[in-house]
Amino acid sequence: MKNNESLQALVDALKCLPGVGPKSALRLAYYLLQRDRKGAKHLSDTIADALERLGHCNLCNNFSEEPICSICKTASRDVETLCIVEMPTDLLMLEQTHSYKGLYFVLMGRLSPLDGIGPNDIHLSKLIKRIKESDIKEIILATNYTNEGNATAQYIKELLRDIPIKMSRIARGLPMGGELEYVDSGTLAQSLVDRKSI
Ligand SMILES: [Zn+2]
């Protein structure tokens, strides 16, 4: 099998996808190589291109090809409201509700001591700088309703205690233990409308 090292490398690489174990990875690798080599080439090229061109917005951390993303640049958005989310997928889900017109800040994670993720790993100094240098008057904490998400929201609330700003947490229209990424947009829209001061 020595000359099939590249096949094994492909199988190992595919295992980085969520929900793909060794068996699925092997099936995917064989599918790409024997049934859709053109699609495989296109996939590898577009992944390389996305990795090359996509960085993070200097203001909100969302994915962006420019230093400032299109949401932060849109003049019609409400610049007095900042919604804090864990990941770019959460931002995307909130945008799809079409019920929020403010700005965002993406933490790129959540506090999780067991995984070694502490306050320094979720861009909190950048968040404070953003708040102090802007016209933001209200913050919506839209971290997930998981233990880590709740702890992160609580931590941010304490951190910003001395800054005169209105703070709210998205309402519990979301299922317990639920993640924003997997919630339907109606439920998510309602949780934004029903947000409460904390
Ligand atoms: Zn941005």
Side-chain angles (χ1 to χ4, degrees):
M1 285 294 276
K2 189 94 171 78
N3 52 7
N4 278 347
E5 273 174 3
S6 57
L7 175 60
Q8 189 55 51
L10 175 59
V11 172
D12 289 342
L14 287 165
K15 282 192 276 188
C16 81
L17 293 168
V20 175
K23 272 189 178 174
S24 311
L26 192 63
R27 265 199 301 272
L28 284 169
Y30 271 85
Y31 173 83
L32 290 169
L33 292 169
Q34 64 192 21
R35 306 274 294 272
D36 195 2
R37 292 179 81 103
K38 217 171 142 189
K41 178 77 173 74
H42 181 62
L43 179 64
S44 86
D45 288 348
T46 47
I47 290 174
D49 188 50
L51 287 172
E52 172 80 26
R53 291 168 58 185
L54 274 175
H56 293 278
C57 170
N58 288 342
L59 289 175
C60 74
N61 286 335
N62 191 23
F63 293 130
S64 178
E65 289 184 9
E66 307 284 337
I68 306 295
C69 77
S70 58
I71 293 176
C72 288
K73 263 198 275 196
T74 304
S76 59
R77 303 226 31 144
D78 166 17
V79 296
E80 296 188 347
T81 312
L82 186 75
C83 182
I84 299 175
V85 296
E86 292 178 16
M87 299 303 280
T89 39
D90 302 328
L91 183 157
L92 178 69
M93 292 300 290
L94 287 165
E95 278 298 283
Q96 286 176 352
T97 68
H98 301 293
S99 59
Y100 178 70
K101 294 291 168 234
L103 301 173
Y104 292 95
F105 187 86
V106 185
L107 298 167
M108 295 304 297
R110 56 188 161 192
L111 293 177
S112 182
L114 289 178
D115 300 314
I117 302 170
N120 292 335
D121 302 309
I122 55 171
H123 303 278
L124 293 181
S125 49
K126 187 173 171 180
L127 171 66
I128 291 174
K129 188 167 177 277
R130 171 105 194 256
I131 294 166
K132 286 185 171 167
E133 292 175 356
S134 67
D135 299 323
I136 290 156
K137 294 189 170 57
E138 181 183 355
I139 283 181
I140 302 170
L141 290 163
T143 51
N144 291 311
Y145 265 107
T146 56
N147 289 340
E148 290 94 346
N150 285 333
T152 305
Q154 190 60 31
Y155 189 91
I156 293 172
K157 184 190 161 194
E158 293 296 321
L159 191 69
L160 304 180
R161 195 211 300 250
D162 296 333
I163 301 176
I165 203 162
K166 186 181 170 194
M167 259 194 276
S168 55
R169 178 92 167 97
I170 50 169
R172 287 178 187 263
L174 304 170
M176 287 304 291
E179 301 204 349
L180 267 61
E181 189 180 349
Y182 302 110
V183 174
D184 67 275
S185 57
T187 305
L188 202 48
Q190 196 56 44
S191 68
L192 270 172
V193 171
D194 290 345
R195 68 182 186 270
K196 293 180 186 137
S197 294
I198 55 171

